[in-house]
Amino acid sequence: MKDFINIPALFLMLFCVSAAFGQGNEHKNIKAKINLETKDRLLSISGQAINNTSQAYQLRYELSVITGNKNNSNSSQNTQSGSFTLPASDTKILSKTSISNNPGNSTIIKLDIFNNDKVVARDSLNFQF
């Protein structure tokens, strides 16, 4: 049998490997974090952005809190958004809100951080009181 190299297959494989390693991951060190604090019957929620790079970024965020109750049809949704500058090696609180932690409520909290309409960081929580 004659050994041969399939040149088109080799070229395709090298292209795929180089494309995978060449992807721009400049935002992989931008983190989104949801912070919770309970006081009395209120749950305080804050969205936080963390920059673990040596470069500042101009970004945008959306913090959504969706609450519903399985015992009745009550539900609410609160979305806060805005633009911000995140300096190099810095942490910034983006938004704060509070909800009642009533028994039977289920809550979904989502924090998305965008750069030019592309999500670069995300955090979410889903829980029931």
Side-chain angles (χ1 to χ4, degrees):
M1 264 189 169
K2 184 176 178 184
D3 290 359
F4 68 94
I5 297 175
N6 186 338
I7 300 297
L10 181 63
F11 178 74
L12 181 61
M13 190 168 53
L14 287 174
F15 176 75
C16 290
V17 169
S18 66
F21 286 106
Q23 300 251 334
N25 289 324
E26 66 271 11
H27 300 296
K28 68 180 179 180
N29 288 317
I30 303 293
K31 306 290 183 200
K33 184 177 178 188
I34 297 170
N35 300 310
L36 303 176
E37 184 179 322
T38 304
K39 186 176 180 183
D40 298 322
R41 294 188 50 88
L42 284 180
L43 178 67
S44 296
I45 302 162
S46 63
Q48 182 177 22
I50 303 163
N51 185 353
N52 293 320
T53 72
S54 59
Q55 180 179 348
Y57 290 98
Q58 184 63 36
L59 303 167
R60 184 174 63 83
Y61 75 91
E62 288 182 8
L63 176 66
S64 298
V65 180
I66 305 157
T67 301
N69 190 306
K70 65 181 179 179
N71 299 327
N72 55 43
S73 61
N74 291 343
S75 66
S76 69
Q77 180 172 346
N78 177 3
T79 300
Q80 300 178 10
S81 62
S83 297
F84 66 102
T85 300
L86 186 57
S89 303
D90 198 10
T91 298
K92 184 171 268 195
I93 299 296
L94 305 171
S95 181
K96 293 182 180 182
T97 189
S98 295
I99 59 172
S100 297
N101 55 4
N102 296 324
N105 280 358
S106 60
T107 301
I108 299 169
I109 305 169
K110 295 188 234 179
L111 173 61
D112 292 323
I113 298 176
F114 301 89
N115 184 20
N116 297 325
D117 294 326
K118 177 184 174 193
V119 176
V120 295
R122 173 175 282 159
D123 193 11
S124 65
L125 296 172
N126 189 353
F127 55 93
Q128 195 157 3
F129 292 106

